[in-house]
Each structure stands twice: as structure tokens, then as C-alpha cells.
Amino acid sequence: MVIEADISHIKQIAEIEKENFQKPWSYNLIYGEYKNQHSRIYVFLNKNQVAGYIIYRCIFDEVELLDISVKKDFRRCGIADNLIDFLIEQSKNCNIFLEVRQDNDSAINLYEKKGFRKIGLRKDYYSRGIDGFVMKLYVQGVQDVKNESGCCARAAGNQ
């Protein structure tokens, strides 16, 4: 079951971070996202235990997936799949962006299965010699256009 995280979940999220990442987010960083008015944290609960979580930020008409992880004991059970589906459902009318380690094949495969496409590469994004792909899920009816300043702006409909 996916529910919005409350303060009692932050410690469990931080523990999963430590379990899964060489450079995990700290409790304080997760708490900062919890308090950020633009960020959302949802957890997948299994018997009142956090089995996985997703952290994303909504700014105007864009969504950025910041962090997603599943506790090792619950991997290969479809939890990450469910969390991505939940994110897509919550992000209607918004394209979704993320960065993923270039060598994280399982995550890349999941994102591509969900419709994300590689749109760029960030050199040394994770650390020296470890690049990150920028990926984007294009939502039907929302397209990027260039505005007068040359920056990407968003427009709905076909043009």
C-alpha cells in the first residue's frame, strides 16, 4: 500500500538509504525534503514497515524524481514498479525528469519500461568517472517548445 510519508517514516527511509547506497541521503536531507513545500515523499508499507519509498519534487508543471529505493528484503516484488506507477498517476499533465547512474542497468530498465527516455548525460554527476543519464517521461498532450529567451517552456496541445 502506498501512502504519504509522515514524520515517523523518515528514520526507516534513512535506514534503507544506508542499506542501498554508497553515498546515502542523511536523515536531515530526507527531513528537509519532507518539510519542503514542493517535495512529496510516499512510502510503500508492508505490515506497517516501510518496504520502499519515493521522493519527488513538483515545481510548476514539472516533476523531478529525486530518490526511489526498496529495502533489500522486498526487492523483486514489484514495489519500485508500483511506486513509479503511483508517481506517474500523481503527475498528470507534467513531464517527469530524473537522473540515474549510467551503470544502474536495473533502474534504467525499469524507467525505460515505464516510458522514460534518455535525453542527456551528466559527466561525473555521481562522482568522478561515474556519469548520470538524464531521463524524461513525456506526458501525452504536453510538449516542450522554445520560448523567446531560448529556454524550454511548456505548451499543451499539438503544434
Side-chain angles (χ1 to χ4, degrees):
M1 164 175 57
V2 178
I3 65 165
E4 188 167 9
D6 64 38
I7 191 69
S8 71
H9 297 126
I10 304 301
K11 183 178 179 189
Q12 291 178 70
I13 292 169
E15 289 170 0
I16 295 170
E17 276 286 308
K18 287 179 191 172
E19 175 183 88
N20 290 336
F21 299 107
Q22 289 178 350
K23 294 182 179 179
W25 286 27
S26 68
Y27 177 94
N28 288 338
L29 185 59
I30 297 164
Y31 180 74
E33 290 301 325
Y34 176 77
K35 298 299 282 182
N36 185 322
Q37 67 177 349
H38 299 292
S39 295
R40 305 289 180 269
I41 303 177
Y42 286 86
V43 293
F44 187 101
L45 293 181
N46 182 311
K47 298 179 183 172
N48 293 324
Q49 178 183 12
V50 175
Y53 60 89
I54 190 165
I55 303 172
Y56 62 95
R57 191 174 293 153
C58 306
I59 299 184
F60 299 110
D61 57 352
E62 293 183 349
V63 173
E64 182 178 7
L65 173 56
L66 301 173
D67 198 5
I68 182 171
S69 194
V70 174
K71 191 174 175 94
K72 286 184 180 180
D73 294 345
F74 294 100
R75 289 194 182 157
R76 304 277 183 236
C77 298
I79 293 172
D81 208 281
N82 281 314
L83 288 166
I84 295 291
D85 287 343
F86 179 83
L87 173 64
I88 293 168
E89 179 65 28
Q90 294 295 306
S91 304
K92 289 185 178 174
N93 301 319
C94 294
N95 291 327
I96 305 170
F97 294 86
L98 61 87
E99 288 90 15
V100 60
R101 282 176 63 119
Q102 188 177 15
D103 60 356
N104 190 343
D105 294 331
S106 60
I108 292 167
N109 289 337
L110 172 63
Y111 298 139
E112 287 179 337
K113 181 177 97 172
K114 295 298 181 181
F116 285 84
R117 298 293 167 250
K118 295 173 190 162
I119 63 167
L121 180 71
R122 294 185 192 228
K123 297 294 285 175
D124 300 326
Y125 184 73
Y126 288 93
S127 65
R128 188 177 188 119
I130 301 177
D131 300 336
F133 285 122
V134 178
M135 298 184 79
K136 183 176 183 178
L137 176 67
Y138 292 89
V139 175
Q140 187 174 4
V142 178
Q143 69 185 64
D144 294 331
V145 295
K146 295 283 184 180
N147 66 18
E148 292 176 9
S149 69
C151 297
C152 284
R154 316 267 291 174
N158 297 328
Q159 295 183 352

